[in-house]
Structure formats: structure tokens, C-alpha cells
């Protein structure tokens, strides 16, 4: 734990970057290389306390140490903090080293006392001092057994429970010792006594509720319990109408309206209409439908008023109890907006940790503070951690005379091929030539689909208008072949022919399908694409977490390199189908910490957008 | 019809020139309050607007250390900043002019948020660049600089911009001239790529309708509406932790704009 100060900066910076800034603050420990870092936030004075120790040591006194350090530091330098100036913080010499060493020594000693706990012999234990009579509690066998079990468990747990014990030791002195002659009670016995007291209290409280139970038990010959639904045989439970099974009348013939089903254009049967070409400037933007702002009359209006008055009276600090109902509501709100459940929980935990103990200003309610903090956290999550500029990278690759390779992966039916076509359209508009590699050799019609797209795109951008170059070409080898091999050949073909970008389309696969995940990982590891895009639909809910985690894990497991290629970015598709339930964006970026590169908002070539963090968060927070 | 209206008009006309003193006093009071409010707003706005100097830059550029050195002159171990810190900086001992230095975090997820918060109050911007890692990070530096430059508030206020090439004490540090050339080239390319990026979800284009510099020509820092200067400095100083930092250029510039 001792070490030069400079060695502390790197792990602390890592802690800051990965935990605090990514809102993973719910869990309060973090491992970085060989160190484990535990931290504590003081939100009143905006301090962060970090303790680092070797990962292999399991130091049990760390939590207590950090609490003690926090208290002492705060009390000692309270005046400096009250000044609230950065200048004060810079100038102040926080000579805390001696205090810290002292606290560290105390903590170590207290934990050392706990370490060797010899199992007490029966004579030593308090139990032998008591008479048998006082051991027998009100009810027969069960409570005594429970007490005995608790005692056994207690003595086993002594070695592990370090934190509670020193605290309890100071409290335990207050408890009168039953057997008065023993003046030196060891801590274990105090614990056991506390447990007995506690249990006794519970017994007395539970007496009334337990009284009907023994009477029921005393009945001889137990009667079979009649459950409502069980026991009765299946016939009673079968509510299905036995007549309709298989008969033709069961499902009435639907009125099939061919016009509605096939679209209302005057069609010539069998003709494929060309795509209406819209230039970029006139592209219809999918507006995130904003509900007309109703005058927000909050439901808890009265509660809000009182809270506001309380806030007016004095500056109160936020406690966990204040925040809990609000956080619950926000969590449910987030889940209603299609954020994955675990992510919503973690987010709310992190926000709670950030706000605990913070002093609210006047004229702010708890709800507004929490909402504000949550909003900032969400915007922070959606901000990309790295640059999102595909065109710039393509230009770079162009300068180095090698093609820029993008791979699309995802589960079945999310829109990989469609969005691949949209992205190639966008690239062509910007003057880059594209080679589409059809590495989906499994799904029927995949290659033909891409061929159709290629033809259309070439019709929209004929070679004549681009100096005789075909802007889009398809590289395919039919069905049933190895996808990784096709990808490799496509890339070398592109390099020879001077294509700027290679877009690799892969087959959709479920994240649980191990052989297919291995195949995908092999494709990515072997071909080393510049950009690995995970295509996910915005409709997905809790599945998003599972999909992304398993995809990343598969990519990491099957890669031979030191730093495996993971998912670099996310394409969020079918965004036009969700009105404002935009939670999937949050789930995906939270899990991977990678940015959302494109958003697909429709099925035409121009329906490609980039993410606007503020708009998405606004839609998310809207009631 | 006119007859019925006449007496009413007469009554009104009689009432107006001599309104009751209570009504008059109330009206005057309201007017006084309104005027005071407006004046106070105006003065406050005038005073607090644009008195701040923002320290921007990528993560690990050295902003927090620069901040500490400017204010206290001493070296300090710093961590990745999570929040902003602001303090009043006295430009020189004799002049009474002072500016508020604001050190903003450089981390990608925070930088835009804090920029939003403080950009309106910025009289000047110091963009700190890590001269050692510049070659590697040139695209990220350029992107952040681009985002700062096309921001509508920044374009409107046109605060003075100083690009401080930090970490000059390390031997591999690039010179300010080189950094300027590279940034100009990179920003030139960024103009094209950012405006060609897919439009944003709610319709506002990502690159902003503002076009950086003149359209036909290559990008040059002199084409910007604000004054841009390049200066070399070292927050750590050539003597390491004990010595002073060398940033006379920076201090002179701060004295100029204060």
C-alpha cells in the first residue's frame, strides 16, 4: 500500500475514467492490473477517497479505514472546504500523512485481533454458564435449535466479519453481561449474546403470531392440504374448447383485402419499382415526435410543494431515504422507456452514490436534483469515448492505398444488409468506391439481395458521373462457403482494384450459438477489419445486454492477439419504429462503452442518421 | 348608439387626468421596480459575461497542472479532472485587472457538457495541446478544436484563442509552428468530412451550418473571426517539480487580454 505517489496516478486515473465517468459507480470496488481500488464519494464537499491495495490480499479493514479517513479528513479540513475556493484547495497543505498512518495502524490492529479465532471449548462459552432453564425459550424445540445454529454460524463467521465486530465491541460493552462474574468478555461472546438478545426480542414479538401455529401442529393425522388448482386432474383444468381443434370453422376466414396488403400504388403485377431518388438536401428527416408540451401538472404536486418549502427553509443534504422513492420512480420510468432492467438499476445506483450527502440549494426539490443528475449521467454515457468520423478514417486509408474494411455483425433480422446498403450509398455520395463482400453464405437470397442493392446503387450513381469508375461492386462466391475465406479474398481483390471501402456482410446469428460465434470471431480475427460494427435494433429490450456481452466475449475469447478486436461501434436500426422509447441506445452504449456510429431510421437509402445525444436523452426523460 | 357611448367616454376622460393617488403610486412603484430589475439584469449580465478564461484540451494535456502553476506557482500531482475548477487570477502585481481562470475536464464524456456551461462566459480560450503526443492525437485534437470553433456561441462572441503547446520540456515535443501547420491541414479535411456526416436525429446537422473559414481556400487560422495565437509552454518546467514553469508567453498573453 505504500508506494511513490506517482505510481498512484495511473490506477486512479483508470478508476476515474472507467467507473466514475461511465456511471458504473454502484459497486464500490475496482480492479486494475495488480491493484484493487476501493473508493468512497463525499458529495457534500465533492471529495473522492480512494484506497488501493494489492489484489491478492484480502484486507478486511479497508471499508472501515476509508470511513475513518473520510471522517477525520472532513472534520480536520472542514474550514478549508467551507471557503469553497479552488485557490484554497490548491494552496492548502493537507498534511494528513501522520493521521493517515495512525488510522491505518489502528485499522490493521483491529483486524489482527479478529484473525485467530479459536473455537471456544464448551466450558468457555457463555452457554455453559447459563442454566438449562433460561436456555429454553418460550416455544419448544425449534427456537433452541435456531439459537444453537446461529451460534455455530456465528463462531465460524468471526474470522470473516471484521467490520461489524469492532463497531459492535464498543456497543457491546453496554449490554449487561448475564453471568456477572466474567469481567472480560471476548468479542465473540458479546456477539453471541447480542444475537440471543435480539432473538429473544424477536421471540417475544412473534409470540402472538406464533400461537396459532402450535395448535395447528398438534393436530394428529395431518389432513391433506387441498390446493386450489393442484390435485384436481387435468380434465378440470382444460379450458380449451375441445371442439375446435383441427376443425376448419375455428378460425374464421379473414377478410383478405388485397389492396391493403399489397400497397395502394397502382401496380403492374411483378414489376419492381425504382427507388425515387431524393437528394441529400431534401431528405425527409425522421422527426422524433415530440409530444405537445402539456402544462406539466405533477402528480405529487402537494408533496413537491412541501419539499420546496423545506428546501426554502434551509439547505438540507440529500439522504438515501429522500432519494429512494424518486429513484424508484426514475428507474421504472427508464424501464418503461425500454432501457434494460439491469442497466436502469445500475444507473440509479450510480446516481444515488453521486448525490448522497450533497447539499441542495434553495428552490430545488429532491426530484429536480435527481432528474438533473440522471440527465447529466445519460448524456455522459451517450457521448462517444472516441472519435466517430468514418469519412476521416476512410480518407486516411485511402492515403495509405489500402481499403478501409468494415464488418457488420449482429443477430438475425436486425437490418444488417439494409443498413449496409444505406452506408454504401452514403459513402458513394461522398465519392468513395465500395466493394460489398457477401459473406452471408447461409441465408437464402442473401447474395441476391446484395446484388439487387448493387444494381440499384449503380443505377443511381452511374460510372459515367464518377469518371468511369464503378462505384459499387459485389464480391460473392455463392452459398455454403467459408465466410472468413471470402472476406480475405474480397479484401485482397479490393486492394488490387483500388476500392476505397470494403463492406463485409455476415450472416445473422444468435449469441448463444457457439459454433457460429466462433466462426464470426475467426472472421474478425483473421481479417482484422478497421471497424467492427454491431448492428442492433432499437426495439430490443433486455436482450441487448445479453447480445452485446456474448458477442464481445466471443470475439475476445477466440482472438489470438494480445488486444483482441472487440466491437468498435454500434449501428442502431429501426429507430423509426420506436416513438420515444429510445432506451436501447442507452443499454447498448452502457454495456460496450462504444459509440453509436449510425442510426437507421427507415428502409430507403437516405434513412441514415447520426446520433444526437441531447435529443435522445430529452426523449428519454420526457414523462 | 353614439349617445350611449358618449357618457361612458366622458366618464373615462374625466377619470384619466386625475386618477386616484393610490393607483398612481402603485403604478409608479411597479415602474420603479421594473426599471431597477432591468438595470440590475443589464449590469450583472455585463459584468459577469465574458470575464472567464477557459482552459480546454484533451485528456492529459496538462490543463490542471497549468491551472495550479498559474495560480500558486507550485507543482502538484494531478488526476483526471471530474469537475471544473475556477479561481480568480491576478494578472500582474500592480494592475488590478484579474480574470477568472476556469479549468474544464478534458475527458470525452464531460468536455462538451462543461463547454456548454461555460462558453457564454468566456472572454478567452486557452486550448492546451500535448506537444509530445500530438502526432498520435492530431485527429482528436483537431476534432475537439473544430467542435469548439463551430459552436455558435463561440462564433458570436469570438473570444481570443490561444493554442498553448504544452510539455515543451520533453525533448520530443513538436514546435508550435509544426502544430499550427498540422492543425490547419487537419481542420481543412475536417470541414469536408464533418459537413458530409449524416444529419443528426432531430434535424440539426452535426457539423453545424457554420462553415469554418473561407470556402474556396484552404483553411487558415487567420480566416477565423477571432484572434488566434500559438505559444509554447511547459507546465512542469525544465527543472521538474522544484523549479518554476516556463510559460512567459502564456502569462504575457493573459496580461494582454485582461
Amino acid at each position: 500500500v505504500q508506494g511513490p505517489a506517482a505510481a498512484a496516478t495511473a490506477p486512479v486515473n483508470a478508476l476515474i475514467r472507467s467507473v466514475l465517468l461511465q456511471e458504473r459507480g454502484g459497486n464500490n470496488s475496482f480492479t486494475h492490473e495488480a491493484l484493487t481500488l476501493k473508493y468512497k464519494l463525499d458529495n457534500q464537499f465533492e471529495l473522492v477517497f480512494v484506497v488501493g491495495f494489492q489484489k491478492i490480499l484480502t484486507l478486511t479493514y479497508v471499508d472501515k479505514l476509508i470511513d475513518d479517513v473520510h471522517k477525520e479528513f472532513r472534520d480536520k479540513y472542514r474550514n478549508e472546504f467551507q471557503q469553497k475556493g479552488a485557490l484554497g484547495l490548491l494552496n492548502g497543505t493537507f498534511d494528513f500523512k501522520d493521521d493517515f498512518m495512525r488510522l491505518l495502524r489502528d485499522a490493521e490492529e483491529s483486524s489482527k485481533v479478529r484473525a485467530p479465532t479459536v473455537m471456544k471449548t464448551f466450558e468457555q462459552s457463555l452457554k455453559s454458564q447459563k442454566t438449562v432453564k433460561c436456555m429454553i425459550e418460550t416455544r419448544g424445540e425449534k427456537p433452541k435449535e435456531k439459537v444453537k445454529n446461529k451460534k455455530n454460524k456465528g463462531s465460524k463467521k468471526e474470522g470473516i466479519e471484521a467490520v461489524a465486530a469492532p463497531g459492535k465491541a464498543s456497543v457491546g460493552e453496554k449490554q449487561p453481561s448475564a453471568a456477572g462474574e466474567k469481567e472480560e468478555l471476548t468479542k465473540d461472546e458479546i456477539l453471541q449474546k447480542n444475537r440471543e438478545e435480539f432473538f429473544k426480542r424477536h421471540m417475544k414479538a412473534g409470540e402472538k403470531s406464533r400461537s396459532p401455529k402450535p395448535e395447528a401442529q398438534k393436530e394428529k393425522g395431518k389432513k391433506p392440504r387441498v390446493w386450489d388448482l393442484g390435485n384436481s386432474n387435468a380434465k378440470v383444468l382444460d379450458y380449451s374448447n375441445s371442439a375446435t381443434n383441427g376443425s376448419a370453422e375455428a378460425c374464421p376466414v379473414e377478410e383478405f383485402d388485397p389492396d391493403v396488403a399489397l400497397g395502394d400504388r397502382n401496380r403492374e403485377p411483378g414489376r419492381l419499382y425504382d427507388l425515387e431518388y431524393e437528394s441529400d438536401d431534401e431528405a425527409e428527416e425522421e422527426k422524433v415526435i415530440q409530444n405537445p408540451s402539456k402544462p406539466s401538472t405533477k402528480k405529487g404536486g402537494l408533496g413537491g410543494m412541501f419539499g420546496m418549502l423545506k428546501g426554502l427553509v434551509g439547505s438540507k443534504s440529500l439522504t438515501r431515504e429522500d432519494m429512494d422513492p424518486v429513484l424508484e420512480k426514475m428507474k421504472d420510468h427508464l424501464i418503461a422507456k425500454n432501457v434494460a432492467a439491469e442497466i436502469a438499476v445500475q444507473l440509479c445506483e450510480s446516481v444515488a452514490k453521486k448525490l448522497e450527502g450533497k447539499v441542495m440549494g434553495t428552490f430545488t426539490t429532491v426530484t429536480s436534483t435527481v432528474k438533473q443528475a440522471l440527465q447529466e449521467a445519460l448524456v455522459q454515457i451517450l457521448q462517444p469515448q472516441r472519435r466517430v468520423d468514418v469519412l476521416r478514417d476512410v480518407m486516411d486509408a485511402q492515403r495509405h492505398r489500402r481499403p478501409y474494411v468494415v464488418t457488420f455483425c449482429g443477430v438475425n433480422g436486425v437490418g444488417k444488409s439494409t443498413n449496409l446498403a444505406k452506408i454504401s450509398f452514403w459513402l458513394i455520395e461522398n465519392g468513395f468506391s465500395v466493394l460489398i463482400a457477401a459473406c452471408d453464405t447461409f441465408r437464402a437470397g442473401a447474395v441476391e439481395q446484395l446484388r439487387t442493392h448493387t444494381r440499384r446503387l449503380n443505377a443511381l450513381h452511374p460510372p459515367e458521373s464518377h469518371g468511369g469508375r464503378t462505384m459499387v461492386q459485389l464480391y460473392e462466391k455463392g452459398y455454403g462457403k467459408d465466410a472468413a475465406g471470402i472476406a480475405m479474398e474480397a479484401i485482397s481483390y479490393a486492394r488490387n482494384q483500388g476500392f476505397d471501402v470494403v463492406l463485409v456482410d455476415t450472416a445473422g446469428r444468435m449469441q448463444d450459438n457457439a459454433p457460429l460465434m466462433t466462426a464470426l470471431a475467426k472472421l474478425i480475427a483473421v481479417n482484422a477489419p478497421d471497424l467492427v460494427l454491431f448492428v442492433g435494433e432499437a426495439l430490443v429490450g433486455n436482450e441487448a445486454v445479453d447480445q452485446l456481452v456474448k458477442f464481445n466475449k466471443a470475439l475476445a475469447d477466440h482472438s489470438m492477439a494480445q488486444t483482441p478486436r472487440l466491437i468498435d461501434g454500434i449501428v442502431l436500426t429501426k429507430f423509426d419504429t420506436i416513438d420515444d422509447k429510445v432506451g436501447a441506445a442507452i443499454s447498448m452504449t452502457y454495456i460496450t462503452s462504444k459509440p453509436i456510429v449510425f442510426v437507421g431510421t427507415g428502409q430507403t437509402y437516405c434513412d441514415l442518421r447520426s446520433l444526437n445525444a441531447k435529443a435522445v436523452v430529452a426523449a428519454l426523460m420526457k414523462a | 348608439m353614439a349617445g350611449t357611448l358618449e357618457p361612458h367616454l366622458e366618464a373615462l376622460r374625466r377619470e384619466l387626468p386625475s386618477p386616484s393617488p393610490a393607483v398612481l403610486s402603485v403604478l409608479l412603484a411597479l415602474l420603479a421596480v421594473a426599471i431597477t430589475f432591468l438595470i440590475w439584469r443589464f449590469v450583472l449580465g455585463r459584468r459577469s459575461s465574458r470575464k472567464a478564461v477557459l482552459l480546454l484540451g484533451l485528456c492529459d494535456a496538462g490543463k490542471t497542472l497549468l491551472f495550479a502553476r498559474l495560480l500558486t506557482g507550485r507543482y502538484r500531482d494531478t488526476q483526471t479532472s471530474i469537475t471544473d475548477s475556477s479561481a480568480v487570477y491576478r494578472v500582474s502585481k500592480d494592475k488590478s485587472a484579474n480574470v477568472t481562470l476556469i479549468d474544464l475536464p478534458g475527458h470525452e464524456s464531460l468536455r462538451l457538457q462543461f463547454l456548454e456551461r461555460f462558453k457564454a462566459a468566456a472572454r478567452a480560450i486557452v486550448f492546451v495541446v500535448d506537444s509530445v503526443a500530438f502526432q498520435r492525437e492530431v485527429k482528436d485534437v483537431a476534432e475537439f478544436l473544430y467542435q469548439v470553433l463551430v459552436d455558435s456561441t463561440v462564433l458570436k462572441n469570438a473570444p481570443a484563442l490561444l493554442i498553448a503547446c504544452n510539455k515543451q520540456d520533453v525533448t520530443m515535443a513538436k514546435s508550435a509552428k509544426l502544430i499550427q501547420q498540422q492543425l490547419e491541414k487537419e481542420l481543412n479535411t475536417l470541414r469536408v468530412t464533418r459537413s458530409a456526416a449524416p444529419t443528426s436525429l432531430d434535424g440539426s446537422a452535426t457539423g453545424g451550418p457554420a462553415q469554418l473559414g473561407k470556402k474556396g481556400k484552404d483553411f487558415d487560422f487567420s480566416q477565423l473571426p477571432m484572434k488566434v495565437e500559438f505559444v509554447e509552454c511547459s507546465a512542469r518546467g525544465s527543472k521538474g517539480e522544484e523549479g518554476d514553469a516556463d510559460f512567459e508567453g502564456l502569462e504575457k498573453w493573459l496580461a494582454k487580454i485582461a
Side-chain angles (χ1 to χ4, degrees):
Chain A
V1 183
Q2 327 287 349
T9 38
V12 175
N13 276 341
L15 168 74
I16 293 176
R17 278 188 212 160
S18 41
V19 176
L20 297 177
L21 288 179
Q22 289 186 24
E23 300 299 319
R24 286 168 213 276
N27 186 16
N28 81 335
S29 78
F30 169 73
T31 40
H32 172 82
E33 295 169 17
L35 293 179
T36 308
L37 294 167
K38 275 202 193 270
Y39 63 92
K40 187 173 196 308
L41 303 173
D42 177 350
N43 296 310
Q44 194 184 4
F45 297 116
E46 298 190 343
L47 304 168
V48 182
F49 294 89
V50 181
V51 170
F53 49 95
Q54 299 279 339
K55 190 162 55 172
I56 43 183
L57 303 173
T58 47
L59 294 176
T60 47
Y61 56 78
V62 176
D63 291 319
K64 177 174 177 306
L65 174 67
I66 231 183
D67 285 333
D68 290 340
V69 167
H70 172 205
K71 271 194 226 89
E72 274 233 24
F73 194 86
R74 195 180 52 194
D75 297 331
K76 190 167 178 190
Y77 296 107
R78 190 177 280 269
N79 297 332
E80 269 98 356
F81 296 147
Q82 302 286 20
Q83 279 179 18
K84 261 191 175 226
L87 213 52
L89 287 175
L90 284 178
N91 280 328
T93 52
F94 296 99
D95 192 8
F96 200 63
K97 191 165 170 125
D98 302 325
D99 298 300
F100 175 69
M101 295 313 292
R102 178 174 44 90
L103 285 168
L104 184 62
R105 253 177 284 125
D106 290 339
E108 280 174 357
E109 275 168 26
S110 66
S111 81
K112 278 204 198 90
V113 165
R114 313 235 29 76
T117 49
V118 184
M119 282 286 291
K120 295 198 305 286
T121 62
F122 185 68
E123 289 78 16
Q124 283 179 350
S125 84
L126 210 53
K127 203 166 161 184
S128 64
Q129 321 247 312
K130 292 189 179 169
T131 62
V132 183
K133 216 195 288 185
C134 83
M135 282 296 297
I136 296 178
E137 309 289 0
T138 36
R139 297 269 144 245
E141 303 300 317
K142 262 195 301 187
K144 199 158 74 138
E145 282 165 16
K146 278 204 183 154
V147 174
K148 251 198 290 184
N149 286 340
K150 277 222 174 233
K151 282 199 181 165
N152 289 338
K153 274 192 263 169
S155 46
K156 271 189 227 136
K157 272 207 244 172
E158 294 309 281
I160 310 171
E161 269 186 29
V163 185
K168 277 247 177 69
S170 49
V171 169
E173 254 75 69
K174 292 192 216 144
Q175 304 271 358
S177 54
E181 46 281 20
K182 271 225 162 174
E183 64 276 310
E184 200 218 26
L185 294 162
T186 65
K187 294 194 181 83
D188 318 54
E189 301 186 44
I190 293 175
L191 249 173
Q192 286 178 3
K193 249 204 303 123
N194 289 345
R195 286 216 182 84
E196 283 175 19
E197 304 274 7
F198 172 78
F199 211 73
K200 267 191 228 145
R201 260 183 269 130
H202 249 254
M203 289 307 303
K204 291 191 187 73
E207 249 185 39
K208 302 186 197 91
S209 57
R210 293 247 195 122
S211 40
K213 254 227 236 154
E215 288 146 28
Q217 285 175 1
K218 285 191 194 121
E219 281 182 21
K220 295 288 178 183
K222 295 196 284 200
K223 279 197 286 222
R225 196 80 179 272
V226 178
W227 296 99
D228 282 337
L229 294 177
N231 257 0
S232 49
N233 42 8
K235 244 189 261 178
V236 179
L237 289 175
D238 184 14
Y239 292 111
S240 63
N241 203 342
S242 50
T244 62
N245 201 8
S247 71
E249 301 145 9
C251 42
V253 175
E254 295 166 26
E255 300 306 320
F256 184 64
D257 186 357
D259 291 319
V260 170
L262 293 176
D264 50 353
R265 297 186 286 176
N266 345 327
R267 296 172 42 93
E268 290 168 26
R271 174 159 169 210
L272 186 66
Y273 274 75
D274 285 332
L275 182 70
E276 272 95 52
Y277 175 64
E278 299 161 28
S279 69
D280 259 348
D281 303 322
E282 299 157 7
E284 299 279 343
E285 280 118 23
E286 293 290 330
K287 292 192 274 286
V288 176
I289 296 173
Q290 305 279 351
N291 291 336
S293 56
K294 318 181 248 267
S296 59
T297 50
K298 286 203 281 269
K299 258 183 257 173
L302 204 57
M305 271 298 286
F306 279 139
M308 205 172 74
L309 289 175
K310 255 189 268 171
L312 280 175
V313 166
S315 52
K316 59 191 275 280
S317 62
L318 280 172
T319 59
R320 207 55 200 271
E321 293 82 33
D322 296 336
M323 289 195 291
D324 266 341
V326 182
L327 279 175
E328 273 296 312
K329 217 161 31 111
M330 298 270 49
K331 185 177 68 121
D332 292 334
H333 174 81
L334 284 178
I335 293 182
K337 294 273 187 176
N338 207 19
V339 180
E342 324 159 350
I343 310 253
V345 167
Q346 278 181 30
L347 261 176
C348 290
E349 262 306 305
S350 161
V351 169
K353 279 257 170 65
K354 252 212 289 198
L355 286 180
E356 218 167 316
K358 199 176 179 131
V359 175
M360 291 197 306
T362 53
F363 290 108
T364 52
T365 59
V366 179
T367 321
S368 66
T369 322
V370 171
K371 267 204 185 148
Q372 177 77 13
L374 192 61
Q375 190 153 4
E376 280 171 13
L378 287 171
V379 172
Q380 222 173 291
I381 291 177
L382 283 179
Q383 294 287 2
Q385 303 278 355
R386 61 177 196 84
R387 238 166 12 97
V388 176
D389 198 349
V390 179
L391 287 178
R392 185 76 191 79
D393 297 332
V394 176
M395 278 191 194
D396 248 5
Q398 203 177 28
R399 215 177 324 140
H400 294 225
R401 289 171 190 284
R402 60 175 180 80
Y404 188 78
V405 183
V406 183
T407 311
F408 292 82
C409 61
V411 302
N412 312 63
V414 291
K416 289 184 289 301
S417 308
T418 313
N419 281 281
L420 185 147
K422 286 191 224 168
I423 292 175
S424 54
F425 179 71
W426 173 64
L427 286 169
I428 297 171
E429 290 271 294
N430 283 301
F432 297 110
S433 55
V434 177
L435 180 73
I436 301 181
C439 294
D440 184 353
T441 53
F442 177 69
R443 197 187 83 200
V447 179
E448 278 75 22
Q449 180 182 11
L450 290 176
R451 193 173 290 132
T452 310
H453 277 304
T454 313
R455 244 183 304 131
R456 277 197 193 176
L457 289 171
N458 273 323
L460 289 171
H461 282 267
E464 298 79 47
S465 60
H466 288 270
R469 262 193 326 167
T470 24
M471 294 308 280
V472 188
Q473 208 172 326
L474 177 68
Y475 188 89
E476 53 95 4
K477 288 266 182 241
Y479 293 95
K481 310 280 191 333
D482 173 38
I486 299 182
M488 194 156 20
E489 291 168 23
I491 294 173
S492 50
Y493 178 78
R495 198 176 303 127
N496 293 337
Q497 302 288 324
F499 279 98
D500 299 317
V501 188
V502 179
L503 299 177
V504 178
D505 185 25
T506 60
R509 59 203 75 209
M510 289 308 290
Q511 67 270 20
D512 304 323
N513 194 332
L516 289 184
M517 294 306 296
T518 317
L520 177 70
K522 186 178 91 153
L523 190 153
I524 290 180
V526 162
N527 293 307
D530 295 295
L531 194 65
V532 178
L533 288 179
F534 176 84
V535 184
E537 52 185 12
L539 300 156
V540 74
N542 292 321
E543 264 291 291
V545 174
D546 197 43
Q547 282 175 11
L548 277 167
V549 163
K550 295 231 176 89
F551 264 82
N552 264 333
K553 191 156 159 313
L555 289 182
D557 286 342
H558 299 284
S559 141
M560 298 295 144
Q562 279 284 60
T563 48
R565 291 301 310 276
L566 296 176
I567 291 174
D568 293 320
I570 299 171
V571 179
L572 195 62
T573 61
K574 307 186 190 170
F575 205 78
D576 50 326
T577 55
I578 51 170
D579 287 332
D580 55 351
K581 296 198 187 331
V582 296
I586 299 281
S587 316
M588 292 195 202
T589 34
Y590 189 85
I591 287 285
T592 53
S593 349
K594 293 293 188 319
I596 292 184
V597 183
F598 295 111
V599 179
T601 51
Q603 312 220 27
T604 67
Y605 287 134
C606 302
D607 291 320
L608 191 67
R609 301 271 177 272
S610 65
L611 188 75
N612 183 343
K614 287 210 197 75
V616 169
V617 173
L620 200 61
M621 295 298 288
K622 199 162 30 121
Chain B
M1 207 337 231
T4 52
L5 223 45
E6 272 283 312
H8 290 275
L9 285 173
E10 275 296 308
L12 260 171
R13 233 176 274 130
R14 245 180 286 130
E15 206 38 52
L16 274 175
S18 58
S20 57
V23 174
L24 188 61
S25 53
V26 166
L27 275 174
L28 268 175
L30 280 174
L31 204 61
V33 167
I35 290 181
T36 331
F37 184 67
L38 281 171
I39 291 179
W40 173 65
R41 247 308 185 56
F42 182 64
V43 167
L44 202 65
R46 247 311 205 37
R47 224 187 318 131
S48 72
S49 87
R50 330 219 13 233
K51 212 176 185 294
V53 175
L54 306 182
L55 283 174
L56 298 173
L58 290 186
C59 232
D60 278 346
K63 305 179 285 296
T64 310
L65 183 58
L66 210 58
F67 181 71
R69 282 285 209 187
L70 276 172
L71 290 175
T72 66
R74 272 177 289 162
Y75 178 82
R76 217 171 59 112
D77 276 327
T78 56
Q79 252 75 43
T80 311
S81 316
I82 312 179
T83 60
D84 58 298
S85 353
S86 61
V88 176
Y89 170 69
R90 210 154 282 288
V91 167
S92 56
K93 305 292 185 298
D94 44 354
K95 278 212 298 193
S96 65
N98 49 5
V99 288
T100 314
L101 276 180
I102 306 186
D103 168 35
L104 302 179
H107 194 265
E108 296 83 12
S109 33
L110 295 177
R111 57 164 83 133
L112 288 178
Q113 268 183 335
F114 281 95
L115 183 63
E116 285 292 310
R117 236 187 273 173
F118 289 99
K119 62 185 177 180
R123 183 194 294 195
I125 296 181
V126 178
F127 194 88
V128 186
V129 174
D130 183 347
S131 319
V132 179
F134 180 70
Q135 211 55 33
R136 231 183 327 124
E137 293 177 345
V138 60
K139 296 203 204 90
D140 300 306
V141 173
E143 167 153 18
F144 188 24
L145 190 57
Y146 182 83
Q147 278 172 338
V148 171
L149 288 175
V150 295
D151 190 84
S152 44
T153 321
V154 169
L155 280 177
K156 191 165 58 107
N157 293 340
L161 179 64
L162 176 76
I163 306 205
C165 309
N166 199 11
K167 304 199 185 172
Q168 291 288 327
D169 51 301
V170 182
T171 41
M172 297 296 292
K174 305 283 179 295
S175 70
K177 208 105 197 36
L178 184 69
I179 292 182
Q180 178 173 359
Q181 283 171 353
Q182 296 247 342
L183 275 179
E184 282 173 351
K185 251 199 299 181
E186 191 62 32
L187 282 171
N188 198 19
T189 329
L190 268 183
R191 278 196 301 182
V192 176
T193 59
R194 289 305 286 261
S195 51
T199 55
S200 180
L201 270 178
D202 61 352
S204 61
T206 45
Q211 176 74 334
L212 210 55
K214 301 209 184 15
K215 243 191 177 179
K217 306 203 293 201
D218 274 344
F219 176 73
D220 206 322
F221 275 111
S222 54
Q223 296 168 4
L224 289 174
M226 66 257 302
K227 266 198 312 154
V228 182
E229 278 184 37
F230 280 79
V231 95
E232 296 183 359
C233 65
S234 163
R236 183 180 285 224
S238 41
K239 300 183 213 57
E241 305 182 9
E242 286 76 34
D244 285 325
D246 335 300
F247 43 40
E248 286 103 31
L250 180 61
E251 284 174 327
K252 275 201 222 103
W253 183 83
L254 279 172
K256 228 191 330 174
I257 53 134

